[in-house]
Amino acid sequence: MTDRPEKDMTAEIAFWDNIAERYAARPVQNMDAYEETLARTRTYLRPDHAVLEVGCGTGTTALKLAPHTGHITATDFSPAMVAIGQKKAEDSGVENIRFRALDAASPEFDRDAFDVVMGFNLLHLVGDVDETLATFQRTLVKGGTLITKTPCLSGWPFGLLRAAIPVMRLFGKAPKGKLHFFRIADLEARIERAGFRIIETGNYPQSPPNHFVVATKL
């Protein structure tokens, strides 16, 4: 499933479980960028699509996109996050989302099962980026669509953030697992090597760049 030791996975899941309630209550930091991401994503969804969102958090994005597609399987490896998402769907009367607690590279994702796979603010957090992208590629139908959005925080001044991560972890302010500080070109190259053709990109917001990529499975 992942290259991270089980004890590290347990600590990382515990981090996200512990902040789940605060995460759910926190407002979107850049609403304009978020709305632009949703708008671009909706253009790739159809009423007959089976959609997978990996790293769904507490389900906000899945709930906003649910009226625009057939069915969404929303997953996160934090059971607490998933439980909040499920409660939000029930309270909202949304019936076309299924929430599941699964790791991003879970072998439980069936081959050729989804028309669209989405991963927002995810790839910089996973232990093995290439394994995760391979999972996305495997579970998409041929010609299916991958939609991702990833903070790309390489270079100055983000080196200061990288140096501060160990201290932030000591105080429970950063997840325990590996964090990736991507260059945009390197991120796109990884996606292409995983068997995708990139058809759209953008940065929402522009600074610091949160890089939006739409690609089709070859």
Side-chain angles (χ1 to χ4, degrees):
M1 288 176 58
T2 178
D3 65 348
R4 286 172 287 184
E6 183 176 349
K7 65 177 181 179
D8 290 347
M9 287 291 293
T10 300
E12 193 168 353
I13 291 170
F15 170 84
W16 293 106
D17 280 351
N18 288 337
I19 70 166
E21 293 287 349
R22 298 194 303 275
Y23 184 91
R26 186 175 65 189
V28 175
Q29 292 182 326
N30 189 323
M31 184 58 72
D32 288 343
Y34 182 58
E35 291 293 348
E36 183 67 20
T37 302
L38 291 174
R40 293 308 310 144
T41 299
R42 289 188 193 106
T43 66
Y44 292 96
L45 303 181
R46 296 204 312 255
D48 60 338
H49 275 164
V51 178
L52 171 67
E53 185 186 5
V54 179
C56 69
T58 58
T60 297
T61 297
L63 287 163
K64 288 182 177 293
L65 294 175
H68 304 278
T69 196
H71 186 272
I72 298 177
T73 300
T75 71
D76 198 283
F77 75 174
S78 163
M81 294 275 191
V82 167
I84 292 172
Q86 182 64 53
K87 180 67 163 52
K88 287 161 66 174
E90 292 170 357
D91 290 346
S92 302
V94 177
E95 298 181 348
N96 65 330
I97 303 178
R98 179 190 183 195
F99 285 90
R100 299 185 67 190
L102 291 173
D103 183 66
S106 174
E108 293 189 42
F109 297 131
D110 293 332
R111 180 177 295 277
D112 303 328
F114 296 98
D115 302 289
V116 179
V117 171
M118 309 183 301
F120 300 112
N121 298 308
L122 171 72
L123 290 177
H124 67 303
L125 297 173
V126 301
D128 190 323
V129 177
D130 295 328
E131 181 184 23
T132 299
L133 288 170
T135 300
F136 293 172
Q137 206 268 357
R138 173 178 56 80
T139 199
L140 276 168
V141 300
K142 185 175 178 59
T145 304
L146 172 67
I147 306 175
T148 65
K149 186 177 172 184
T150 309
C152 291
L153 306 179
S154 67
W156 176 262
F158 304 113
L160 297 175
L161 175 60
R162 188 196 295 257
I165 291 297
V167 176
M168 294 172 67
R169 285 179 175 141
L170 287 176
F171 292 93
K173 300 298 184 181
K176 302 294 184 179
K178 184 175 182 179
L179 295 175
H180 302 277
F181 290 78
F182 290 114
R183 292 174 60 248
I184 287 174
D186 292 340
L187 174 64
E188 291 185 357
R190 282 180 180 243
I191 292 172
E192 290 175 332
R193 284 199 303 269
F196 294 96
R197 178 173 63 88
I198 294 174
I199 59 175
E200 179 182 341
T201 63
N203 292 320
Y204 313 120
Q206 288 285 339
S207 182
N210 203 336
H211 196 55
F212 181 77
V213 176
V214 182
T216 57
K217 175 179 174 176
L218 297 175

